[in-house]
Amino acid sequence: MQDPSDWINQYIKDSGEAIQKLSTDSLRVTSEDIQNALVEVLDLNCSTDLLYMDLPAEKIIKLLSSFDFSRFDPEFICEVALDESIIPEHIPISLTEQTIRTKGEVWRIHKNDADPFPSNPHAHNYPKNLVAHLGNGDLYRKREVLGKLKKKDLVNLRDHIKNVSLPKLEV
């Protein structure tokens, strides 16, 4: 096949067959799940690299037969609302943050997050675009450490999280 549209059409057909085989009654695998899993398993830079690979349905199924697709559908554990902000003042504000400031914050924790970085589980502060390591309090944006929660703030946050095993406290 030379025409890119032929490669795309063939990939769509083959990944569709793989979706049927890899989905279960309790977990529906999507086309996006197949792409993300293949990128991870094949150690590719992006999903467009898949288009020019010889990946018939049987090969996709073989590559992904033991892949844990549940990571792409994390189970919501809890949401923690704090009365006062625990993010240190020197942490830069994300461009997507709202301009209205309140003292309280909302942290979300998911079970089986697709990306277990930086800890499993970890806490998301979506308005500030931050992720907190629940063992040592490091604060990340993407994979860059921006700062650290104070020990008392980390312990307070952890105390609000119930019915889930947390990483060992490292501070």
Side-chain angles (χ1 to χ4, degrees):
M1 284 183 268
Q2 298 298 325
D3 185 356
S5 64
D6 291 339
W7 287 95
I8 293 169
N9 290 330
Q10 187 62 48
Y11 173 79
I12 291 169
K13 178 181 175 284
D14 291 332
S15 65
E17 288 180 41
I19 287 168
Q20 296 301 316
K21 293 281 188 187
L22 296 169
S23 291
T24 65
D25 290 337
S26 61
L27 183 66
R28 172 80 176 126
V29 177
T30 67
S31 178
E32 184 178 4
D33 294 340
I34 294 285
Q35 287 179 34
N36 291 333
L38 285 170
V39 166
E40 185 176 320
V41 168
L42 297 171
D43 197 27
L44 302 174
N45 290 324
C46 65
S47 60
T48 55
D49 295 342
L50 295 168
L51 296 177
Y52 302 102
M53 297 181 73
D54 183 26
L55 290 171
E58 301 79 28
K59 187 171 184 179
I60 295 172
I61 293 164
K62 184 176 180 181
L63 285 168
L64 302 180
S65 62
S66 62
F67 191 85
D68 180 13
F69 286 100
S70 67
R71 295 186 309 128
F72 295 144
D73 190 24
E75 177 185 338
F76 177 71
I77 296 173
C78 69
E79 185 170 282
V80 177
L82 303 174
D83 293 331
E84 302 257 342
S85 175
I86 62 174
I87 299 172
E89 299 254 342
H90 70 278
I91 301 294
I93 296 170
S94 171
L95 295 176
T96 60
E97 181 180 349
Q98 296 177 5
T99 55
I100 301 168
R101 284 187 95 117
T102 61
K103 287 186 175 184
E105 297 170 345
V106 175
W107 291 89
R108 296 193 88 179
I109 296 90
H110 294 96
K111 184 177 180 182
N112 302 326
D113 200 315
D115 183 3
F117 180 84
S119 64
N120 190 13
H122 50 264
H124 292 268
N125 182 310
Y126 289 111
K128 307 249 195 238
N129 193 23
L130 293 172
V131 177
H133 186 296
L134 291 174
N136 62 24
D138 284 348
L139 290 171
Y140 294 84
R141 181 162 299 128
K142 300 207 179 198
R143 293 193 178 258
E144 179 185 351
V145 178
L146 299 176
K148 189 177 205 79
L149 296 174
K150 295 177 190 169
K151 181 178 181 177
K152 72 173 187 128
D153 293 330
L154 175 59
V155 169
N156 181 36
L157 177 61
R158 288 171 56 104
D159 287 347
H160 284 84
I161 302 168
K162 306 293 182 203
N163 304 319
V164 66
S165 178
L166 295 174
K168 181 181 175 204
L169 192 60
E170 302 171 10
V171 292

